[in-house]
Amino acid sequence: MPASAPKFFANSIVALHGVGKIFDNAVSALDGFDLEIQRGEFVSLLGPSGCGKSTALRIVAGLTEPTVGAVVWNNTEPASRGERGIGFVFQEPTLMPWTNATGNVYLPLRLKGHDREQAAPQISAALTGVGLAEFANAYPRELSGGMKMRVSIARALVTHPRLLLMDEPFAALDEITRFKLNNDLLALWKAMGETVVFVTHSVFESVYLSSRIIVMTPRPGRIFTEIPVDVRYPRDEKFRTSPEYAALCRKVSVALSAAMAAGGGE
Amino acid sequence: MSVSRSAARARNRADQALRFILPLAALALGMLAWDLVVRLNAIPSYVLPGPVLVFATIITDWPVLWSSLLVTLTTTFEALLLALIGGVGLAVLFNRSRVFEYSFYPYAVILQVTPVIAIAPLLLIYLPQPAAVLVCAWIVAFFPVLANTTLGLNSVDRNLADLFRLYGATRTQILIHLKLPAALPFILGGLRIAGGLALIGAVVAAIAAGSAGAGSGLAYRIAESGYRLNIPRMFAALILLSIAGIAIFAALSLLSHLILRQWHESAVAPEN
Ligand SMILES: Nc1ncnc2c1ncn2[C@@H]1O[C@H](COP(=O)(O)OP(=O)(O)OP(=O)(O)O)[C@@H](O)[C@H]1O
Ligand SMILES: [Mg+2]
């Protein structure tokens, strides 16, 4: 797509131009969806259930082809999908039941050809990072829903992805764990300088984490509005209790209500 | 709460014991009835031998019966091994290449639906008898492995498959680290069916060969004893065959349990 190449800012990674997705069963999930992801940003997709958030994320990852529109990678990015350094956390844990937590986290490294001993420190660091060091040998069926999700997060992080795509990763967790992992994720993001696209339907979570919030309309999803969150990182519990945070949450809530009222045009 | 739990466990154990005791009791009753019928009607042993005579025959004829059993079991296990290799191998090839699958799957089905007893005489013309028997046993045993493995290879979690694609996994990596492990419970299920079928195939083919060949499997002993009106030995051989069938099924079930107990719902111990 050389025609759209000049539109790129120097530091953008990938852009979706007028993307629409109609499934075989004639459900239109996305329509005229435009999104440009900048290097190093933390962008959240916020919208009601069924508005096409997961679909948008899968399209960015190249797991689903858009029906219309284009996905354009900056030509500074590797051409092959395996080398782009994408980490993906699915909405479901998506673990291999036949191997334990360690084996699941090892998978991305194994596929890259690392041997198990060489990978062991990285694996245990990733599991420790999500608070599951003690469960390294547990099989998925022995883990709770939230623990499985944390294994899935550890698996996505173990490769230190340059673009991390997360689909409601914390939805199944209790508040305390969720806050802790929010903070861990922010710390990691700062340390790695990576880019995160984060799907959520929690206004509070999106404001706490993001540098930019994309509010989507109901199905077929399109961008209703974009809200920048110009609050300096690192953010901590003080930010969570600040009036500034409350005001931003209110603003995003209002936008989300307006998006739902505006509808998806069906 | 602990009282009710231990009560439940006791009930569970009693249930398990019953599952062992009841069939044995039924067997004992059946034996008794058999014995009484033979005794009271004074039925000659060349028509219907009593259970005592049959067991005595198992013991007195043990050397010849045992060597025949070994021949039958060897054929069965060879057929089973080849069925595993052939079934899984073909399923993997079918999974890799649609052209290959469309071209050859129908013939696998045809091979399966044609009664093996009808194929055996033909094979006996072209092959030496032991090889013909092995091929017949293989024909009936490989299809369940093929069909189950095919099903297993196609029931991979879609998101997991996406994850492998995302990390740029090669086809071989996807096969080894994703598809085959996902198919393992299905393969083992197919193998359990194949075990019984391999035995049946081996016996049927050997019967079809009759006493003409130099074969010495249990089926041959049954046919031979029939010609000689040695009915007690027919019964003895038949009982050994059933026991062999049960043992094969039990062994394959155990194997499946040992391999899957860590993770698959079918083999995980119930919570208590
Ligand atoms: N494979 C599919 N085939 C058909 N329809 C699909 C498929 N995947 C998603 N859809 C439809 O597309 C729409 C958007 O789905 P998507 O999963 O992207 O929503 P979402 O925003 O992630 O919702 P949630 O917040 O509930 O996860 C839904 O109406 C869904 O029914
Ligand atoms: Mg979703």
mmCIF file with all atom_site columns, all heavy atoms in Angstrom, chain A residues 35-56:
data_model
loop_
_atom_site.group_PDB
_atom_site.id
_atom_site.type_symbol
_atom_site.label_atom_id
_atom_site.label_alt_id
_atom_site.label_comp_id
_atom_site.label_asym_id
_atom_site.label_entity_id
_atom_site.label_seq_id
_atom_site.pdbx_PDB_ins_code
_atom_site.Cartn_x
_atom_site.Cartn_y
_atom_site.Cartn_z
_atom_site.occupancy
_atom_site.B_iso_or_equiv
_atom_site.pdbx_formal_charge
_atom_site.auth_seq_id
_atom_site.auth_comp_id
_atom_site.auth_asym_id
_atom_site.auth_atom_id
_atom_site.pdbx_PDB_model_num
ATOM 1   N N   . LEU A 1 35 ? -7.545  3.072   12.806 1.00 0.00 ? 35 LEU A N   1
ATOM 2   C CA  . LEU A 1 35 ? -6.737  3.113   14.031 1.00 0.00 ? 35 LEU A CA  1
ATOM 3   C C   . LEU A 1 35 ? -5.273  3.105   13.652 1.00 0.00 ? 35 LEU A C   1
ATOM 4   O O   . LEU A 1 35 ? -4.836  2.284   12.858 1.00 0.00 ? 35 LEU A O   1
ATOM 5   C CB  . LEU A 1 35 ? -7.057  1.889   14.897 1.00 0.00 ? 35 LEU A CB  1
ATOM 6   C CG  . LEU A 1 35 ? -6.228  1.705   16.170 1.00 0.00 ? 35 LEU A CG  1
ATOM 7   C CD1 . LEU A 1 35 ? -6.519  2.831   17.161 1.00 0.00 ? 35 LEU A CD1 1
ATOM 8   C CD2 . LEU A 1 35 ? -6.531  0.366   16.817 1.00 0.00 ? 35 LEU A CD2 1
ATOM 9   N N   . GLU A 1 36 ? -4.534  4.063   14.208 1.00 0.00 ? 36 GLU A N   1
ATOM 10  C CA  . GLU A 1 36 ? -3.094  4.062   13.980 1.00 0.00 ? 36 GLU A CA  1
ATOM 11  C C   . GLU A 1 36 ? -2.410  3.912   15.327 1.00 0.00 ? 36 GLU A C   1
ATOM 12  O O   . GLU A 1 36 ? -2.686  4.650   16.260 1.00 0.00 ? 36 GLU A O   1
ATOM 13  C CB  . GLU A 1 36 ? -2.671  5.370   13.306 1.00 0.00 ? 36 GLU A CB  1
ATOM 14  C CG  . GLU A 1 36 ? -1.205  5.357   12.931 1.00 0.00 ? 36 GLU A CG  1
ATOM 15  C CD  . GLU A 1 36 ? -0.875  6.404   11.864 1.00 0.00 ? 36 GLU A CD  1
ATOM 16  O OE1 . GLU A 1 36 ? -1.785  6.828   11.122 1.00 0.00 ? 36 GLU A OE1 1
ATOM 17  O OE2 . GLU A 1 36 ? 0.289   6.806   11.793 1.00 0.00 ? 36 GLU A OE2 1
ATOM 18  N N   . ILE A 1 37 ? -1.552  2.922   15.419 1.00 0.00 ? 37 ILE A N   1
ATOM 19  C CA  . ILE A 1 37 ? -0.910  2.642   16.702 1.00 0.00 ? 37 ILE A CA  1
ATOM 20  C C   . ILE A 1 37 ? 0.513   3.193   16.687 1.00 0.00 ? 37 ILE A C   1
ATOM 21  O O   . ILE A 1 37 ? 1.312   2.869   15.814 1.00 0.00 ? 37 ILE A O   1
ATOM 22  C CB  . ILE A 1 37 ? -0.907  1.126   16.977 1.00 0.00 ? 37 ILE A CB  1
ATOM 23  C CG1 . ILE A 1 37 ? -2.355  0.644   17.093 1.00 0.00 ? 37 ILE A CG1 1
ATOM 24  C CG2 . ILE A 1 37 ? -0.137  0.810   18.244 1.00 0.00 ? 37 ILE A CG2 1
ATOM 25  C CD1 . ILE A 1 37 ? -2.505  -0.847  17.010 1.00 0.00 ? 37 ILE A CD1 1
ATOM 26  N N   . GLN A 1 38 ? 0.783   4.076   17.666 1.00 0.00 ? 38 GLN A N   1
ATOM 27  C CA  . GLN A 1 38 ? 2.100   4.722   17.751 1.00 0.00 ? 38 GLN A CA  1
ATOM 28  C C   . GLN A 1 38 ? 3.035   3.873   18.605 1.00 0.00 ? 38 GLN A C   1
ATOM 29  O O   . GLN A 1 38 ? 2.603   3.252   19.573 1.00 0.00 ? 38 GLN A O   1
ATOM 30  C CB  . GLN A 1 38 ? 1.968   6.106   18.414 1.00 0.00 ? 38 GLN A CB  1
ATOM 31  C CG  . GLN A 1 38 ? 0.924   6.993   17.785 1.00 0.00 ? 38 GLN A CG  1
ATOM 32  C CD  . GLN A 1 38 ? 1.264   7.355   16.350 1.00 0.00 ? 38 GLN A CD  1
ATOM 33  O OE1 . GLN A 1 38 ? 2.438   7.536   16.016 1.00 0.00 ? 38 GLN A OE1 1
ATOM 34  N NE2 . GLN A 1 38 ? 0.247   7.440   15.499 1.00 0.00 ? 38 GLN A NE2 1
ATOM 35  N N   . ARG A 1 39 ? 4.292   3.933   18.236 1.00 0.00 ? 39 ARG A N   1
ATOM 36  C CA  . ARG A 1 39 ? 5.279   3.182   19.016 1.00 0.00 ? 39 ARG A CA  1
ATOM 37  C C   . ARG A 1 39 ? 5.315   3.720   20.450 1.00 0.00 ? 39 ARG A C   1
ATOM 38  O O   . ARG A 1 39 ? 5.352   4.920   20.677 1.00 0.00 ? 39 ARG A O   1
ATOM 39  C CB  . ARG A 1 39 ? 6.660   3.318   18.390 1.00 0.00 ? 39 ARG A CB  1
ATOM 40  C CG  . ARG A 1 39 ? 7.722   2.510   19.128 1.00 0.00 ? 39 ARG A CG  1
ATOM 41  C CD  . ARG A 1 39 ? 8.904   2.247   18.241 1.00 0.00 ? 39 ARG A CD  1
ATOM 42  N NE  . ARG A 1 39 ? 8.499   1.481   17.061 1.00 0.00 ? 39 ARG A NE  1
ATOM 43  C CZ  . ARG A 1 39 ? 8.860   1.772   15.823 1.00 0.00 ? 39 ARG A CZ  1
ATOM 44  N NH1 . ARG A 1 39 ? 9.633   2.804   15.590 1.00 0.00 ? 39 ARG A NH1 1
ATOM 45  N NH2 . ARG A 1 39 ? 8.455   1.035   14.823 1.00 0.00 ? 39 ARG A NH2 1
ATOM 46  N N   . GLY A 1 40 ? 5.264   2.787   21.408 1.00 0.00 ? 40 GLY A N   1
ATOM 47  C CA  . GLY A 1 40 ? 5.418   3.156   22.802 1.00 0.00 ? 40 GLY A CA  1
ATOM 48  C C   . GLY A 1 40 ? 4.149   3.603   23.500 1.00 0.00 ? 40 GLY A C   1
ATOM 49  O O   . GLY A 1 40 ? 4.167   3.867   24.700 1.00 0.00 ? 40 GLY A O   1
ATOM 50  N N   . GLU A 1 41 ? 3.033   3.682   22.800 1.00 0.00 ? 41 GLU A N   1
ATOM 51  C CA  . GLU A 1 41 ? 1.815   4.135   23.481 1.00 0.00 ? 41 GLU A CA  1
ATOM 52  C C   . GLU A 1 41 ? 1.077   2.973   24.137 1.00 0.00 ? 41 GLU A C   1
ATOM 53  O O   . GLU A 1 41 ? 1.346   1.802   23.867 1.00 0.00 ? 41 GLU A O   1
ATOM 54  C CB  . GLU A 1 41 ? 0.882   4.878   22.522 1.00 0.00 ? 41 GLU A CB  1
ATOM 55  C CG  . GLU A 1 41 ? 0.137   4.005   21.549 1.00 0.00 ? 41 GLU A CG  1
ATOM 56  C CD  . GLU A 1 41 ? -0.909  4.778   20.755 1.00 0.00 ? 41 GLU A CD  1
ATOM 57  O OE1 . GLU A 1 41 ? -1.350  5.840   21.232 1.00 0.00 ? 41 GLU A OE1 1
ATOM 58  O OE2 . GLU A 1 41 ? -1.274  4.320   19.663 1.00 0.00 ? 41 GLU A OE2 1
ATOM 59  N N   . PHE A 1 42 ? 0.160   3.344   25.024 1.00 0.00 ? 42 PHE A N   1
ATOM 60  C CA  . PHE A 1 42 ? -0.703  2.361   25.676 1.00 0.00 ? 42 PHE A CA  1
ATOM 61  C C   . PHE A 1 42 ? -2.124  2.761   25.315 1.00 0.00 ? 42 PHE A C   1
ATOM 62  O O   . PHE A 1 42 ? -2.671  3.701   25.875 1.00 0.00 ? 42 PHE A O   1
ATOM 63  C CB  . PHE A 1 42 ? -0.493  2.409   27.202 1.00 0.00 ? 42 PHE A CB  1
ATOM 64  C CG  . PHE A 1 42 ? -1.072  1.216   27.922 1.00 0.00 ? 42 PHE A CG  1
ATOM 65  C CD1 . PHE A 1 42 ? -0.261  0.457   28.750 1.00 0.00 ? 42 PHE A CD1 1
ATOM 66  C CD2 . PHE A 1 42 ? -2.401  0.867   27.792 1.00 0.00 ? 42 PHE A CD2 1
ATOM 67  C CE1 . PHE A 1 42 ? -0.770  -0.654  29.421 1.00 0.00 ? 42 PHE A CE1 1
ATOM 68  C CE2 . PHE A 1 42 ? -2.923  -0.234  28.454 1.00 0.00 ? 42 PHE A CE2 1
ATOM 69  C CZ  . PHE A 1 42 ? -2.098  -0.991  29.273 1.00 0.00 ? 42 PHE A CZ  1
ATOM 70  N N   . VAL A 1 43 ? -2.679  2.074   24.327 1.00 0.00 ? 43 VAL A N   1
ATOM 71  C CA  . VAL A 1 43 ? -3.990  2.477   23.840 1.00 0.00 ? 43 VAL A CA  1
ATOM 72  C C   . VAL A 1 43 ? -5.036  1.437   24.239 1.00 0.00 ? 43 VAL A C   1
ATOM 73  O O   . VAL A 1 43 ? -4.790  0.239   24.158 1.00 0.00 ? 43 VAL A O   1
ATOM 74  C CB  . VAL A 1 43 ? -3.971  2.718   22.312 1.00 0.00 ? 43 VAL A CB  1
ATOM 75  C CG1 . VAL A 1 43 ? -3.410  1.539   21.573 1.00 0.00 ? 43 VAL A CG1 1
ATOM 76  C CG2 . VAL A 1 43 ? -5.352  3.071   21.789 1.00 0.00 ? 43 VAL A CG2 1
ATOM 77  N N   . SER A 1 44 ? -6.178  1.934   24.743 1.00 0.00 ? 44 SER A N   1
ATOM 78  C CA  . SER A 1 44 ? -7.254  1.025   25.136 1.00 0.00 ? 44 SER A CA  1
ATOM 79  C C   . SER A 1 44 ? -8.413  1.127   24.163 1.00 0.00 ? 44 SER A C   1
ATOM 80  O O   . SER A 1 44 ? -8.761  2.219   23.715 1.00 0.00 ? 44 SER A O   1
ATOM 81  C CB  . SER A 1 44 ? -7.767  1.377   26.534 1.00 0.00 ? 44 SER A CB  1
ATOM 82  O OG  . SER A 1 44 ? -6.863  0.960   27.505 1.00 0.00 ? 44 SER A OG  1
ATOM 83  N N   . LEU A 1 45 ? -9.002  -0.034  23.856 1.00 0.00 ? 45 LEU A N   1
ATOM 84  C CA  . LEU A 1 45 ? -10.255 -0.070  23.109 1.00 0.00 ? 45 LEU A CA  1
ATOM 85  C C   . LEU A 1 45 ? -11.364 -0.305  24.122 1.00 0.00 ? 45 LEU A C   1
ATOM 86  O O   . LEU A 1 45 ? -11.366 -1.313  24.816 1.00 0.00 ? 45 LEU A O   1
ATOM 87  C CB  . LEU A 1 45 ? -10.250 -1.203  22.079 1.00 0.00 ? 45 LEU A CB  1
ATOM 88  C CG  . LEU A 1 45 ? -9.168  -1.191  21.015 1.00 0.00 ? 45 LEU A CG  1
ATOM 89  C CD1 . LEU A 1 45 ? -9.356  -2.360  20.053 1.00 0.00 ? 45 LEU A CD1 1
ATOM 90  C CD2 . LEU A 1 45 ? -9.209  0.119   20.249 1.00 0.00 ? 45 LEU A CD2 1
ATOM 91  N N   . LEU A 1 46 ? -12.278 0.644   24.181 1.00 0.00 ? 46 LEU A N   1
ATOM 92  C CA  . LEU A 1 46 ? -13.336 0.567   25.185 1.00 0.00 ? 46 LEU A CA  1
ATOM 93  C C   . LEU A 1 46 ? -14.670 0.547   24.457 1.00 0.00 ? 46 LEU A C   1
ATOM 94  O O   . LEU A 1 46 ? -14.920 1.387   23.581 1.00 0.00 ? 46 LEU A O   1
ATOM 95  C CB  . LEU A 1 46 ? -13.239 1.797   26.099 1.00 0.00 ? 46 LEU A CB  1
ATOM 96  C CG  . LEU A 1 46 ? -14.245 1.926   27.234 1.00 0.00 ? 46 LEU A CG  1
ATOM 97  C CD1 . LEU A 1 46 ? -14.002 0.851   28.277 1.00 0.00 ? 46 LEU A CD1 1
ATOM 98  C CD2 . LEU A 1 46 ? -14.142 3.310   27.868 1.00 0.00 ? 46 LEU A CD2 1
ATOM 99  N N   . GLY A 1 47 ? -15.508 -0.400  24.800 1.00 0.00 ? 47 GLY A N   1
ATOM 100 C CA  . GLY A 1 47 ? -16.801 -0.446  24.131 1.00 0.00 ? 47 GLY A CA  1
ATOM 101 C C   . GLY A 1 47 ? -17.676 -1.526  24.715 1.00 0.00 ? 47 GLY A C   1
ATOM 102 O O   . GLY A 1 47 ? -17.194 -2.395  25.443 1.00 0.00 ? 47 GLY A O   1
ATOM 103 N N   . PRO A 1 48 ? -18.977 -1.479  24.379 1.00 0.00 ? 48 PRO A N   1
ATOM 104 C CA  . PRO A 1 48 ? -19.910 -2.472  24.932 1.00 0.00 ? 48 PRO A CA  1
ATOM 105 C C   . PRO A 1 48 ? -19.629 -3.867  24.376 1.00 0.00 ? 48 PRO A C   1
ATOM 106 O O   . PRO A 1 48 ? -18.937 -4.023  23.366 1.00 0.00 ? 48 PRO A O   1
ATOM 107 C CB  . PRO A 1 48 ? -21.277 -1.964  24.469 1.00 0.00 ? 48 PRO A CB  1
ATOM 108 C CG  . PRO A 1 48 ? -20.996 -1.140  23.263 1.00 0.00 ? 48 PRO A CG  1
ATOM 109 C CD  . PRO A 1 48 ? -19.654 -0.533  23.482 1.00 0.00 ? 48 PRO A CD  1
ATOM 110 N N   . SER A 1 49 ? -20.162 -4.862  25.058 1.00 0.00 ? 49 SER A N   1
ATOM 111 C CA  . SER A 1 49 ? -19.964 -6.246  24.640 1.00 0.00 ? 49 SER A CA  1
ATOM 112 C C   . SER A 1 49 ? -20.492 -6.457  23.221 1.00 0.00 ? 49 SER A C   1
ATOM 113 O O   . SER A 1 49 ? -21.563 -5.993  22.866 1.00 0.00 ? 49 SER A O   1
ATOM 114 C CB  . SER A 1 49 ? -20.707 -7.168  25.611 1.00 0.00 ? 49 SER A CB  1
ATOM 115 O OG  . SER A 1 49 ? -20.572 -8.491  25.194 1.00 0.00 ? 49 SER A OG  1
ATOM 116 N N   . GLY A 1 50 ? -19.703 -7.139  22.417 1.00 0.00 ? 50 GLY A N   1
ATOM 117 C CA  . GLY A 1 50 ? -20.135 -7.470  21.064 1.00 0.00 ? 50 GLY A CA  1
ATOM 118 C C   . GLY A 1 50 ? -19.896 -6.375  20.044 1.00 0.00 ? 50 GLY A C   1
ATOM 119 O O   . GLY A 1 50 ? -20.356 -6.475  18.910 1.00 0.00 ? 50 GLY A O   1
ATOM 120 N N   . CYS A 1 51 ? -19.130 -5.324  20.417 1.00 0.00 ? 51 CYS A N   1
ATOM 121 C CA  . CYS A 1 51 ? -18.960 -4.206  19.481 1.00 0.00 ? 51 CYS A CA  1
ATOM 122 C C   . CYS A 1 51 ? -17.790 -4.434  18.519 1.00 0.00 ? 51 CYS A C   1
ATOM 123 O O   . CYS A 1 51 ? -17.526 -3.612  17.654 1.00 0.00 ? 51 CYS A O   1
ATOM 124 C CB  . CYS A 1 51 ? -18.775 -2.891  20.229 1.00 0.00 ? 51 CYS A CB  1
ATOM 125 S SG  . CYS A 1 51 ? -17.158 -2.711  20.980 1.00 0.00 ? 51 CYS A SG  1
ATOM 126 N N   . GLY A 1 52 ? -17.082 -5.544  18.681 1.00 0.00 ? 52 GLY A N   1
ATOM 127 C CA  . GLY A 1 52 ? -16.028 -5.831  17.719 1.00 0.00 ? 52 GLY A CA  1
ATOM 128 C C   . GLY A 1 52 ? -14.622 -5.574  18.238 1.00 0.00 ? 52 GLY A C   1
ATOM 129 O O   . GLY A 1 52 ? -13.678 -5.509  17.447 1.00 0.00 ? 52 GLY A O   1
ATOM 130 N N   . LYS A 1 53 ? -14.461 -5.460  19.540 1.00 0.00 ? 53 LYS A N   1
ATOM 131 C CA  . LYS A 1 53 ? -13.131 -5.190  20.099 1.00 0.00 ? 53 LYS A CA  1
ATOM 132 C C   . LYS A 1 53 ? -12.179 -6.356  19.836 1.00 0.00 ? 53 LYS A C   1
ATOM 133 O O   . LYS A 1 53 ? -11.049 -6.157  19.366 1.00 0.00 ? 53 LYS A O   1
ATOM 134 C CB  . LYS A 1 53 ? -13.234 -4.940  21.615 1.00 0.00 ? 53 LYS A CB  1
ATOM 135 C CG  . LYS A 1 53 ? -14.193 -3.829  22.007 1.00 0.00 ? 53 LYS A CG  1
ATOM 136 C CD  . LYS A 1 53 ? -14.189 -3.573  23.500 1.00 0.00 ? 53 LYS A CD  1
ATOM 137 C CE  . LYS A 1 53 ? -14.748 -4.718  24.323 1.00 0.00 ? 53 LYS A CE  1
ATOM 138 N NZ  . LYS A 1 53 ? -16.185 -4.974  24.102 1.00 0.00 ? 53 LYS A NZ  1
ATOM 139 N N   . SER A 1 54 ? -12.662 -7.562  20.148 1.00 0.00 ? 54 SER A N   1
ATOM 140 C CA  . SER A 1 54 ? -11.804 -8.734  19.919 1.00 0.00 ? 54 SER A CA  1
ATOM 141 C C   . SER A 1 54 ? -11.486 -8.879  18.438 1.00 0.00 ? 54 SER A C   1
ATOM 142 O O   . SER A 1 54 ? -10.352 -9.202  18.063 1.00 0.00 ? 54 SER A O   1
ATOM 143 C CB  . SER A 1 54 ? -12.499 -10.010 20.405 1.00 0.00 ? 54 SER A CB  1
ATOM 144 O OG  . SER A 1 54 ? -12.718 -9.947  21.789 1.00 0.00 ? 54 SER A OG  1
ATOM 145 N N   . THR A 1 55 ? -12.481 -8.614  17.611 1.00 0.00 ? 55 THR A N   1
ATOM 146 C CA  . THR A 1 55 ? -12.271 -8.720  16.165 1.00 0.00 ? 55 THR A CA  1
ATOM 147 C C   . THR A 1 55 ? -11.188 -7.741  15.714 1.00 0.00 ? 55 THR A C   1
ATOM 148 O O   . THR A 1 55 ? -10.294 -8.100  14.932 1.00 0.00 ? 55 THR A O   1
ATOM 149 C CB  . THR A 1 55 ? -13.593 -8.445  15.426 1.00 0.00 ? 55 THR A CB  1
ATOM 150 O OG1 . THR A 1 55 ? -14.594 -9.324  15.948 1.00 0.00 ? 55 THR A OG1 1
ATOM 151 C CG2 . THR A 1 55 ? -13.446 -8.669  13.934 1.00 0.00 ? 55 THR A CG2 1
ATOM 152 N N   . ALA A 1 56 ? -11.248 -6.500  16.226 1.00 0.00 ? 56 ALA A N   1
ATOM 153 C CA  . ALA A 1 56 ? -10.257 -5.488  15.849 1.00 0.00 ? 56 ALA A CA  1
ATOM 154 C C   . ALA A 1 56 ? -8.856  -5.947  16.249 1.00 0.00 ? 56 ALA A C   1
ATOM 155 O O   . ALA A 1 56 ? -7.892  -5.827  15.480 1.00 0.00 ? 56 ALA A O   1
ATOM 156 C CB  . ALA A 1 56 ? -10.594 -4.155  16.502 1.00 0.00 ? 56 ALA A CB  1
#
